[in-house]
Amino acid sequence: MSTPRMPELNAATLERREEIVADMRIIVPGEGVVESEAEMRAFESDGLTAYRQLPMVVVLPETVAQVSRILKYCHERNIRVVPRGSGTSLSGGALPLGDAVLLVMSRFNRILEIDFANRAVVAQPGVTNLGITRAVEHEGFYYAPDPSSQIACSIGGNVAENSGGVHCLKYGLTANNILGVEMVLMTGEVIRLGGKHLDAEGYDLLGLMTGSEGLLGVVTEVTVRILRKPETARAMLIGFPSSEQAGQCVAEIIAAGIVPAGMEMMDRPAIHAAEDFVHAGYPLDVEALLIVELDGPQAEVDHLIERVGEIARRNGATTSRVSNSEEERAAFWAGRKAAFPAVGRISPDYYCMDGTIPRKELPRVLAGMRTLSEKYGLRVANVFHAGDGNLHPLILYDANKPGELEKAEAFGADILRLCVRVGGVLTGEHGVGVEKRDLMPEMFTEEDLNQQMRVKCAFDPNHLLNPGKMFPQLHRCAELGRMHIHRGQMPFPDLERF
Amino acid sequence: MTTFIPGTSAEVHEIVRWAAAEETPLEVIGHGTKQGIGRPVQAEHTLDLSRLAGVTLYEPEELVLAARAGTPLAEVEALLARHGQRLAFEPMDYGPLLGGKAGRGTLGGVLGANLSGPRRIAAGAARDHILGIDAVSGRGEAFKSGGRVVKNVTGYDLSKGLAGSWGTLAVVTDLVFKVLPAAETERTLAIAGLDDAQAAAAMAEAMGSDGEVSGAAHLPEGVIGRFLDGGFSGGPRTVLRVEGFGPSVAYRVERLGRRMKAHGAVEVLEEAQSRRLWREIRDCRPFADGTDAPVWRVSMAPMAGHRMLDAFRRAAGANAYYDWQGGLLWLRMEAEPKAETLRTLIARCGGGHATLVRATPALRAAVSVFQPQPPALVALSARLKAQFDPRNILNPGRMAVA
């Protein structure tokens, strides 16, 4: 992809590289410092592989004390730091900087405590999302947020990105499923937010920290809430002659007071790509396909399957199937879960977007995308978390054709602008990172962004932690702190009462 | 002493900008129902948001509601109820506990105090349901955060950052909340005769079951007569709420009831009684006694609550009951608040926090109402406050620790 503009390299830091590497080896002895170009290649990008950059040095600490010493060292010497978990970010959140220490948290891979009575697990940040569920499933528990990268993505990264998954509408995002963190500030100070108890004792710093994309602190421990696995889960596969009818069906399911565990929609190109790839038995003569999953007590699921079936019929569904076994449920999901690689088979390259829209705007947004598709001469396939309005348009392009990549990026940016215009947002779950950084002004005014940056100033006033991400331009904190005073008369004297 | 009662967010903006320029503090209130919580605020002027009211957007099929900050919570709840929906986090009503009327309070106050209720353990608090806000910082600058959709990670979540900030960071003028379908029906299982430790074990088992329990409280001997007009005869009750669609509730009550019999005799409260009971638990009704005797609200790990209380009772006289599977303790003190003893014991039993939600103004000026924090957190919070309100004009001192 086109190279993003990153903060100017700090020449003073680069001049001292050897000394810095040596000092890192003192703080993290053994195999924890990687500095050869060949070895650092493994870290040059994250899930957004089009962006690549070698870091100055890679450090893999093993203890909180080491993390603290590294950050303190860098803080005192004005050295930038980019934190990284498993490197699965889809927005370039862990993209290295050429003059920064890449702080890789993958060695923090232990589960520290499982507490079933308090329904909590305390884990180090490098434990994978799925690793938490694996550790508690023998007792019938699980961790609810399930981003599609859950087999690889780390829980620390989930906190940084406020990761979601297909079950968000019913079970919430990471922010709603974590109880506390231990984290290290850029100064090296170690703080704890929350614990096994609920709610903050002061400001909701945990709420600010979740989804902060590694710009505020480095998480060294996470306490998550675990839930009892529902007694049963069944899925329905419902086809419609138009996306409008499918959208109306979704709205009526919600209006009937039903909150499905998952509700996914695919458009015709996505259905065909998925069916050709995994042969899930999807109907090919429909314009929109809904997967509705209901979970909970047996009696409830049976009851709701019938009600959803009625709503679907009323809205003109032409096909409707209900899973009668775990195998069948898995088969219904197989096509959806393989949608991205399936699209990868029908196009040399694809670019995945992540806007969220108010659900009722779906027909308008799909129509807008068709127009844009013609304008740019590129195809687009859509998968949609219909329950919560999170849209994943996949733009098909061929990077080998000159100019097509830039067209795909421009197309993507136009889709996101469209999402914002109908009342939606730039990113539902993939994060801003480097990728959508320059689109932030589409959604926020300068004052909105300034207030967000002031939060950054409270945590990291010298902008050393993950700079170049999230904000189109980081203003100096001294500048942001300045107040413009407009003295005048007391306003609205007519409101005076005393 | 002036009370500003703006009717638009533009007026709020102008007032705060003026106050920032003059460095003159404002006490920010909605209906003032929670003014008795926190250190007494010393402010020259009052910014009363009660006229900045009205629901501005409600789309039941989108599960979203937007309103101005001064909108009465009661109005919002009534509107939602007409559409079979609710605020799932079950915001409590502090009115009766603090000597005021029931049914007052504004939506802005719901976020400012990060209210929740018994369903906190299953559905979260206000912080978990806020989708977006418009606000004016103590710098006198208007800003927005979030949006109107559930799934949104665009930028820092300043909406959550303002939850529980008690009006000390910014004046929120508009809020967008996620709303959810109301349960079709509910019932409550009441297990008789458990002591606090046995109740904690029973509640942990229930919450760890697939019965989808949405409320788990323990009402010891000392308070049981104050619920449902004394309708429970003799001895403590451990109560478990089951909500949802009719067939589902019937199925789960039957299964959970069978399981809970191992702990003690089980009776089932039907819908009307159940609703009433959980409202009383939510609003701390046993201690809404018209006095200003100190009341603590303590949040801990569920299994730690009863151990802490057992130790605390050796040092001080307190009446108490538990919500949130045992993790939320409401304590009414017989005499002084014994803040230090209480907070030491909380720390010793795994941590958590205690808020002195009811006390005389003199006590609130002398005792830390909010939990004191370690120095690094105090410094970080002070830096955050300075970034929103550098001249300390919004509710100055309210969250300060003594």
Side-chain angles (χ1 to χ4, degrees):
Chain A
M1 300 217 168
S2 49
T3 317
R5 173 183 49 81
M6 295 309 282
E8 208 175 304
L9 294 179
N10 185 331
T13 301
L14 289 174
E15 268 169 33
R16 287 184 299 157
R17 181 175 183 269
E18 270 180 47
E19 175 196 329
I20 293 166
V21 169
D23 289 338
M24 288 297 130
R25 287 201 193 284
I26 294 170
I27 298 174
V28 183
E31 309 287 292
V33 177
V34 174
E35 60 146 338
S36 76
E37 192 183 319
E39 283 178 292
M40 290 202 299
R41 280 281 165 223
F43 299 96
E44 68 178 355
S45 72
D46 58 16
L48 188 65
T49 50
Y51 296 159
R52 288 166 199 280
Q53 168 65 53
L54 281 178
M56 176 174 67
V57 57
V58 178
V59 184
L60 299 99
E62 272 182 310
T63 68
V64 180
Q66 288 172 356
V67 174
S68 170
R69 285 183 65 194
I70 294 164
L71 292 179
K72 185 166 188 282
Y73 175 94
C74 292
H75 183 248
E76 285 165 356
R77 289 160 186 78
N78 211 37
I79 301 164
R80 290 167 176 154
V81 177
V82 175
R84 176 181 161 119
S86 300
T88 56
S89 167
L90 292 173
S91 54
L95 180 71
L97 297 172
D99 60 353
V101 172
L102 187 72
L103 188 64
V104 180
M105 298 300 288
S106 55
R107 290 167 138 195
F108 280 76
N109 57 3
R110 285 183 305 125
I111 288 187
L112 301 175
E113 191 193 349
I114 298 173
D115 181 345
F116 289 113
N118 287 313
R119 289 179 300 124
V121 168
V122 183
Q124 290 187 323
V127 172
T128 63
N129 172 293
L130 194 61
I132 294 178
T133 291
R134 291 273 181 264
V136 296
E137 62 189 356
H138 63 285
E139 290 282 339
F141 286 83
Y142 77 115
Y143 175 64
D146 57 345
S148 57
S149 55
Q150 69 177 151
I151 190 166
C153 66
S154 70
I155 190 68
N158 287 182
V159 173
E161 300 290 329
N162 194 13
S163 306
V166 297
H167 295 107
C168 284
L169 185 66
K170 185 166 179 182
Y171 295 102
L173 302 155
T174 302
N176 315 110
N177 286 277
I178 59 172
L179 297 168
V181 299
E182 177 194 71
M183 60 183 266
V184 186
L185 300 176
M186 192 61 216
T187 52
E189 288 168 290
V190 181
I191 61 172
R192 299 191 78 90
L193 307 174
K196 287 183 192 168
H197 58 277
L198 292 168
D199 294 337
E201 51 250 53
Y203 293 136
D204 193 346
L205 301 171
L206 185 59
L208 284 174
M209 183 62 197
T210 314
S212 62
E213 302 195 6
L215 275 76
L216 300 184
V218 177
V219 171
T220 48
E221 184 191 296
V222 188
T223 303
V224 306
R225 164 70 80 223
I226 49 170
L227 300 177
R228 181 81 194 186
K229 257 186 91 177
E231 188 188 342
T232 188
R234 293 174 78 186
M236 299 177 74
L237 202 57
I238 313 168
F240 293 89
S242 74
S243 59
E244 282 81 359
Q245 283 161 297
Q248 187 57 31
C249 179
V250 170
E252 286 185 29
I253 290 170
I254 301 275
I258 301 166
V259 181
M263 190 144 54
E264 295 292 306
M265 195 191 293
M266 296 164 76
D267 70 359
R268 180 183 268 275
I271 299 166
H272 282 252
E275 182 60 23
D276 289 348
F277 185 30
V278 296
H279 310 292
Y282 287 177
L284 295 173
D285 56 347
V286 297
E287 286 299 318
L289 186 66
L290 271 188
I291 304 173
V292 181
E293 178 158 296
L294 296 150
D295 70 4
Q298 187 86 50
E300 177 171 317
V301 172
D302 292 349
H303 172 70
L304 295 183
I305 289 269
E306 265 180 49
R307 290 185 59 178
V308 170
E310 280 162 30
I311 294 168
R313 272 193 297 283
R314 206 159 62 218
N315 282 289
T318 48
T319 65
S320 178
R321 290 168 56 202
V322 182
S323 72
N324 285 308
S325 65
E326 271 303 286
E327 295 70 46
E328 204 171 359
R329 187 175 73 89
F332 284 8
W333 278 105
R336 166 61 186 89
K337 289 194 168 166
F340 289 14
V343 165
R345 286 173 73 238
I346 60 169
S347 172
D349 300 281
Y350 70 90
Y351 184 34
C352 174
M353 307 310 295
D354 173 46
T356 304
I357 56 170
R359 244 185 299 101
K360 63 169 183 188
E361 300 289 352
L362 182 67
R364 189 171 149 200
V365 172
L366 288 179
M369 267 194 254
R370 278 192 292 271
T371 310
L372 288 170
S373 169
E374 280 164 30
K375 176 182 159 191
Y376 286 102
L378 295 175
R379 291 177 298 162
V380 60
N382 269 291
V383 295
F384 183 50
H385 300 304
D388 48 40
N390 189 199
L391 200 58
H392 291 312
L394 304 166
I395 300 169
L396 314 187
Y397 72 99
D398 183 350
N400 288 327
K401 287 190 191 158
E404 198 148 274
L405 156 73
E406 288 72 20
K407 269 204 292 187
E409 283 184 310
F411 186 179
D414 276 351
I415 290 174
L416 294 184
R417 288 189 186 100
L418 177 60
C419 290
V420 172
R421 206 156 56 234
V422 301
V425 301
L426 295 173
T427 172
E429 56 185 354
H430 295 173
V432 176
V434 175
E435 187 202 22
K436 291 174 280 281
R437 180 190 71 187
D438 296 333
L439 288 170
M440 288 288 269
E442 297 287 337
M443 196 170 141
F444 296 113
T445 66
E446 197 180 337
E447 285 199 341
D448 298 340
L449 287 172
N450 284 350
Q451 194 53 50
Q452 291 188 33
M453 277 184 254
R454 288 191 192 102
V455 171
K456 165 84 169 157
C457 292
F459 283 80
D460 172 29
N462 299 329
H463 295 329
L464 294 174
L465 210 45
N466 217 8
K469 319 289 170 70
M470 191 180 290
F471 298 109
Q473 199 179 357
L474 270 178
H475 299 304
R476 294 164 57 89
C477 288
E479 213 173 288
L480 288 165
R482 214 168 286 145
M483 277 182 69
H484 305 280
I485 303 298
H486 317 275
R487 272 181 208 282
Q489 290 294 306
M490 179 187 278
F492 317 114
D494 52 313
L495 296 175
E496 229 163 297
R497 288 206 310 186
F498 301 98
Chain B
M1 189 75 177
T2 301
T3 297
F4 297 100
I5 316 181
T8 67
S9 48
E11 287 172 7
V12 173
H13 191 181
E14 198 171 330
I15 293 161
V16 179
R17 200 162 47 187
W18 168 81
E22 295 295 322
E23 291 192 57
T24 184
L26 298 170
E27 177 167 23
V28 187
I29 63 165
H31 288 165
T33 52
K34 295 177 279 291
Q35 259 176 314
I37 302 178
R39 269 195 127 190
V41 171
Q42 311 255 314
E44 183 80 5
H45 306 294
T46 302
L47 176 54
D48 175 339
L49 298 173
S50 61
R51 230 181 266 164
L52 188 72
V55 171
T56 50
L57 175 147
Y58 176 37
E59 293 176 1
E61 294 174 1
E62 299 276 334
L63 301 176
V64 61
L65 178 139
R68 299 204 169 87
T71 310
L73 173 61
E75 181 187 321
V76 170
E77 292 190 318
L79 173 66
L80 292 172
R82 285 201 293 281
H83 291 84
Q85 297 190 331
R86 66 183 177 192
L87 294 171
F89 56 96
E90 206 176 4
M92 75 169 292
D93 181 357
Y94 269 110
L97 179 68
L98 302 181
K101 278 190 272 181
R104 289 177 51 77
T106 62
L107 209 55
V110 167
L111 184 71
N114 188 32
L115 294 185
S116 64
R119 210 178 290 113
R120 174 71 179 91
I121 48 174
R127 73 181 291 276
D128 296 290
H129 296 256
I130 185 78
L131 299 178
I133 50 108
D134 285 289
V136 180
S137 71
R139 303 170 51 87
E141 292 171 3
F143 66 93
K144 67 169 181 300
S145 175
R148 50 157 296 183
V149 293
V150 182
K151 222 163 163 188
N152 178 11
V153 295
T154 321
Y156 293 145
D157 196 345
L158 302 186
S159 316
K160 270 196 187 63
L162 296 182
S165 66
W166 297 88
T168 61
L169 297 178
V171 182
V172 173
T173 56
D174 291 89
L175 307 94
V176 188
F177 273 106
K178 174 169 91 168
V179 300
L180 283 169
E184 195 174 275
T185 188
E186 67 175 71
R187 266 183 250 169
T188 291
L189 298 173
I191 308 154
L194 308 186
D195 67 25
D196 294 6
Q198 291 166 332
M203 288 189 285
E205 185 184 330
M207 290 306 299
S209 79
D210 57 15
E212 295 185 5
V213 173
S214 75
H218 177 60
L219 318 173
E221 183 99 54
V223 295
I224 193 68
R226 302 189 197 181
F227 286 101
L228 300 178
D229 285 331
F232 287 117
S233 55
R237 292 292 195 288
T238 306
V239 290
L240 305 167
R241 177 172 63 185
V242 178
E243 297 177 288
F245 293 97
S248 172
V249 170
Y251 174 83
R252 284 183 287 151
V253 163
E254 204 272 320
R255 277 166 52 111
L256 193 61
R258 232 184 305 142
R259 187 166 180 166
M260 286 297 127
K261 269 185 196 137
H263 295 273
V266 177
E267 68 184 299
V268 177
L269 273 56
E270 296 303 320
E271 184 179 287
Q273 287 288 86
S274 173
R275 280 190 204 284
R276 191 171 150 208
L277 175 67
W278 288 100
R279 189 166 305 129
E280 292 174 358
I281 292 170
R282 183 191 76 179
D283 296 343
C284 198
R285 278 303 176 117
F287 305 147
D289 48 14
T291 75
D292 53 13
V295 172
W296 286 104
R297 181 179 183 272
V298 178
S299 177
M300 302 183 67
M303 297 305 283
H306 71 91
R307 284 194 290 119
M308 191 285 294
L309 183 61
D310 186 46
F312 184 56
R313 278 197 165 132
R314 280 173 224 157
N319 200 357
Y321 73 97
Y322 305 82
D323 195 357
W324 297 359
Q325 192 196 321
L328 179 72
L329 291 82
W330 292 100
L331 308 180
R332 182 193 182 278
M333 305 303 297
E334 280 164 20
E336 316 91 84
K338 294 271 186 194
E340 212 159 304
T341 312
L342 179 65
R343 284 171 168 150
T344 304
L345 285 171
I346 291 170
R348 205 174 290 161
C349 294
H353 52 90
T355 309
L356 186 60
V357 292
R358 186 176 74 185
T360 60
L363 258 181
R364 285 188 280 123
V367 174
S368 295
V369 169
F370 296 97
Q371 180 82 18
Q373 298 180 302
L377 268 180
V378 171
L380 179 58
S381 298
R383 292 199 297 273
L384 190 70
K385 163 82 174 169
Q387 294 293 342
F388 278 87
D389 180 20
R391 297 185 158 193
N392 197 23
I393 59 159
L394 300 177
N395 284 348
R398 190 172 192 184
M399 293 182 81
V401 295

